[in-house]
Amino acid sequence: MSRTTMTLAAAALAAAGLLVPTGAGAAPAERTPTAEARSAGINSPGDAAMGWNQHGARRTPERASAAVAAPSGVPGIDVSNWQGRVDWAAQWGAGKRFAYVKATEGTTYESPSFGHQYTGSYSQGFIRGAYHFALPDSSSGSTQANHFVDNGGGWSADGKTLPGALDMEWNPYGATCYGKTRTQMRAWINAFLTQYKSRTGRYPVIYTATSWWDQCVGSDATIAAKSPLWIARYSSTVGTKPYGWSTHSFWQYSTTPVDQNVWNGTLERLRYFATH
C-alpha cells in the first residue's frame, strides 16, 4: 500500500472515527529505498507495509487497486506504523474480528506503534497476531526469526493469538528477489520457518503474492506443507495460488480504506487455528 494511499486512507478512517494517524517511526538508515519504493512513500527502513508496491509501475493482478466486495469469511485488517493509534472499538463495530500488526523488519527495525496496536486489539476482543517484513539479503532466516520472536512475534495457545506471519514480497531497497536465486530463497525461508517453530511451537503464516513467489521462490511443496497461506490479490477472486498450496487461510483482497482481509472459514475455526 503506497504512502499516498495510506495517508488518504488514514485521513478517511480518522474522519470516520476509526483511527488517529501518526507519522512514520524512526529507523536505521543503512538501506536506501529504490525510486519505486520512494514513490510509494518508503523514505527510510521500516516504512514498508504489506503490499507496499501495489501501485507500482509493474502492475499485476495482486497489486491492481480496486475496491471489491468483501469475500465470504471472517473479516479482519492488518496495520503497521502508518495507521498509528487504531480505534479498535470502531473496527470491531465495523465487523472486524482479527488483526495482524507489523512488529519487525529485517533485524534493525521494531515498529513504534506495535505495542499499542497489538495490546489494543487484544483488549477489544480481536484475535490478533504479529507480522515480520522479511529482508532476506540482510541476515539469515533464523536470525530474523529470532528478532521477530524477541520483539512481539511470538505465539501462545490462548485462543486470541495468531501464529506470526512472514511477509515475503518485493524488495523496497533493491533487486526484486533480494539478490538470491530461487534455491537460496527457499533455503532462507525454510531456515526462518524452522527457527520460528523451534521458538514458538508453530510454523508462521506466509503472506505473499503469487507473481512474486513464482519469480523468486518457485517450486518447493515442503514450504506449503508447513505454513498456511495468506495470499495478496486485490480482485474479486483469489486466482492462482503459489506453488504447493491448494487453498488459502487468509486473503488480503483490498487496501481501501485500510488493508482488508478475510479468514477462509468460520469464527469457530479461526479460534481453533489460534489455539492449535
Side-chain angles (χ1 to χ4, degrees), residues 21-180:
T22 65
E30 70 276 9
R31 286 175 170 261
T32 302
T34 63
E36 182 181 8
R38 289 195 301 274
S39 70
I42 300 174
N43 297 311
S44 62
D47 285 354
M50 285 181 165
W52 67 266
N53 76 335
Q54 59 100 6
H55 289 298
R58 298 170 299 159
R59 300 185 69 82
T60 67
E62 292 89 345
R63 291 175 284 147
S65 179
V68 298
S72 61
V74 180
I77 61 172
D78 64 84
V79 296
S80 67
N81 189 53
W82 287 109
Q83 279 72 43
R85 290 194 172 272
V86 179
D87 186 337
W88 293 109
Q91 292 290 349
W92 183 270
K96 306 300 187 294
R97 292 297 180 265
F98 73 89
Y100 265 100
V101 180
K102 182 176 181 179
T104 51
E105 179 177 313
T107 55
T108 59
Y109 176 85
E110 302 91 46
S111 171
S113 294
F114 176 76
H116 60 75
Q117 290 176 341
Y118 196 67
T119 59
S121 56
Y122 182 90
S123 297
Q124 182 59 44
F126 281 77
I127 303 172
R128 50 73 166 118
Y131 81 84
H132 173 77
F133 193 98
L135 299 179
D137 59 343
S138 69
S139 56
S140 69
S142 59
T143 297
Q144 291 193 33
N146 284 330
H147 181 67
F148 181 40
V149 174
D150 291 343
N151 291 280
W155 171 77
S156 60
D158 59 3
K160 293 183 69 176
T161 304
L162 295 164
L166 174 61
D167 182 354
M168 300 297 306
E169 60 175 293
W170 289 266
N171 181 7
Y173 312 111
T176 295
C177 300
Y178 300 85
K180 292 189 176 296

Side-chain angles (χ1 to χ4, degrees), residues 156-234:
S156 60
D158 59 3
K160 293 183 69 176
T161 304
L162 295 164
L166 174 61
D167 182 354
M168 300 297 306
E169 60 175 293
W170 289 266
N171 181 7
Y173 312 111
T176 295
C177 300
Y178 300 85
K180 292 189 176 296
T181 65
R182 288 178 175 178
T183 299
Q184 291 169 334
M185 187 67 80
R186 291 194 291 266
W188 192 96
I189 294 170
N190 276 304
F192 187 104
L193 302 186
T194 298
Q195 185 62 14
Y196 187 86
K197 186 174 190 295
S198 175
R199 291 287 305 273
T200 69
R202 292 286 299 268
Y203 283 116
V205 175
I206 290 180
Y207 168 94
T208 197
T210 300
S211 57
W212 182 89
W213 192 269
D214 287 349
Q215 179 180 349
C216 299
V217 183
S219 57
D220 185 343
T222 67
I223 295 176
K226 298 170 187 173
S227 288
L229 173 64
W230 182 355
I231 190 164
R233 183 178 174 86
Y234 310 133

Side-chain angles (χ1 to χ4, degrees), residues 226-248:
K226 298 170 187 173
S227 288
L229 173 64
W230 182 355
I231 190 164
R233 183 178 174 86
Y234 310 133
S235 181
S236 59
T237 62
V238 169
T240 303
K241 289 171 280 294
Y243 185 93
W245 280 285
S246 60
T247 189
H248 66 281

